[in-house]
Amino acid sequence: MPIQIDAKSIVDLVAKEGWHLTKDKTTNAPIIEAEGETYPFCHPVLIHLKKYRLEQNPELKYQHMKAAHDYLWPDTVWHYWTERRFRTHCEDWKLVTWAGGAATGKSFDAAKIACEFWLADPRNRAVIVASSSLESLNARIWGYCTRFMHEMQVPLPFNYRRGAPPKILFEARDTIHGMFAVAAKRGDDDAAISNWIGRHPNKGLLLVLDEGTELPMAILNALPNLEAGQDNFQCIVIGNSLSHYDLHGSLS
């Protein structure tokens, strides 16, 4: 269950961060001074999410992402590969491929990155999580995404929409910005994945491809279209390829 968040709790957290609580000289409203900038009185997670979104320095970006993460999911145990995956994400590579044995946390970490990427700007960003079937999505990355969104210890707003496929939205009628589960199997052509090839959010797109060895090679043709016009685009591909001729192998 989310923790109770009240004004006193926020005051204590601001002090713990080493930030300064003061008042706006015009409105007399409380404001937070943090690292040379001022923010409205709010939970520190919102400040860290904004700094993670805007920061250009990979190390500082990672530190703010981790700080926001630890407010949202404080019980997570970090390990070497989690840190490495988060840092790679913050280094702003356009394409990242992951490989590794079962139970090494690949889907778990990808879901956390997906949730934070979207929460950093839910009105303007989109996340597409693709796998070979909706069943495998629900059992893997998408299942983690929905679980993590419901387990956030700071109650940030979102709308979970059931259906085939399911989605997570900020504004109920927005079909461009949100988190979207999509299915695409090996052998599908451009037409079969056209429903998500043309999605162009305002300010950022994260594409997470699970079971990369089983996904259609047509995604290779879709990547330039998905990246077009995006200031912030990244594709994470997960799998264990044995060939250059499946999607994960080709992108690696």
Side-chain angles (χ1 to χ4, degrees):
M1 294 294 290
I3 59 176
Q4 290 294 111
I5 306 295
D6 54 28
K8 184 180 183 306
S9 298
I10 294 175
V11 169
D12 292 343
L13 291 173
V14 168
K16 187 176 180 180
E17 289 277 0
W19 300 338
H20 182 57
L21 188 63
T22 184
K23 291 188 177 181
D24 185 277
K25 294 179 180 179
T26 302
T27 64
N28 209 37
I31 57 174
I32 298 170
E33 294 180 349
E35 302 177 23
E37 298 180 309
T38 58
Y39 300 88
F41 185 75
C42 63
H43 193 288
V45 73
L46 297 177
I47 296 175
H48 282 300
L49 284 171
K50 181 177 181 180
K51 285 181 172 291
Y52 151 63
R53 181 178 83 238
L54 299 177
E55 181 59 60
Q56 298 300 308
N57 181 292
E59 176 61 27
L60 296 177
K61 188 180 186 75
Y62 166 74
Q63 294 297 337
H64 288 299
M65 186 183 189
K66 185 179 186 303
H69 170 282
D70 290 348
Y71 276 120
L72 295 171
W73 304 287
D75 296 329
T76 299
V77 177
W78 282 71
H79 56 76
Y80 169 79
W81 285 107
T82 298
E83 179 175 340
R84 184 167 177 180
R85 290 163 184 155
F86 271 61
R87 284 185 180 277
T88 301
H89 165 69
C90 291
E91 289 168 1
D92 202 28
W93 297 96
K94 299 299 182 185
L95 175 64
V96 181
T97 59
W98 295 359
T104 54
K106 300 187 300 296
S107 296
F108 187 95
D109 290 343
K112 284 281 183 71
I113 290 171
C115 290
E116 276 202 80
F117 179 87
W118 181 67
L119 288 168
D121 198 358
R123 289 185 176 91
N124 293 295
R125 285 183 168 184
V127 173
I128 298 174
V129 181
S131 191
S132 57
S133 68
L134 290 179
E135 291 76 14
S136 61
L137 276 166
N138 286 323
R140 294 163 63 94
I141 290 183
W142 186 257
Y144 280 128
C145 287
T146 56
R147 170 184 150 189
F148 294 149
M149 293 296 291
H150 286 96
E151 289 180 349
M152 290 188 296
Q153 291 300 291
V154 182
L156 302 180
F158 69 93
N159 293 285
Y160 178 73
R161 299 291 177 175
R162 298 182 184 276
K167 56 185 71 73
I168 296 170
L169 306 173
F170 186 79
E171 296 174 349
R173 296 184 179 180
D174 192 343
T175 60
I176 303 298
H177 307 97
M179 299 179 67
F180 305 92
V182 299
K185 62 184 183 298
R186 185 187 296 182
D188 283 353
D189 58 15
D190 292 348
I193 57 174
S194 61
N195 62 320
W196 51 278
I197 287 175
R199 195 181 302 275
H200 294 291
N202 291 336
K203 294 184 180 180
L205 175 63
L206 177 65
L207 176 63
V208 182
L209 305 178
D210 195 18
E211 297 183 299
T213 57
E214 303 302 318
L215 295 178
M217 294 295 286
I219 291 175
L220 285 172
N221 299 326
L223 288 177
N225 183 286
L226 288 164
E227 185 180 351
Q230 293 298 323
D231 294 331
N232 196 326
F233 171 84
Q234 188 174 80
C235 175
I236 298 174
V237 192
I238 303 171
N240 286 296
S241 180
L242 296 176
S243 168
H244 291 174
Y245 301 106
D246 60 47
L247 184 66
H248 184 272
S250 295
L251 292 175
S252 295

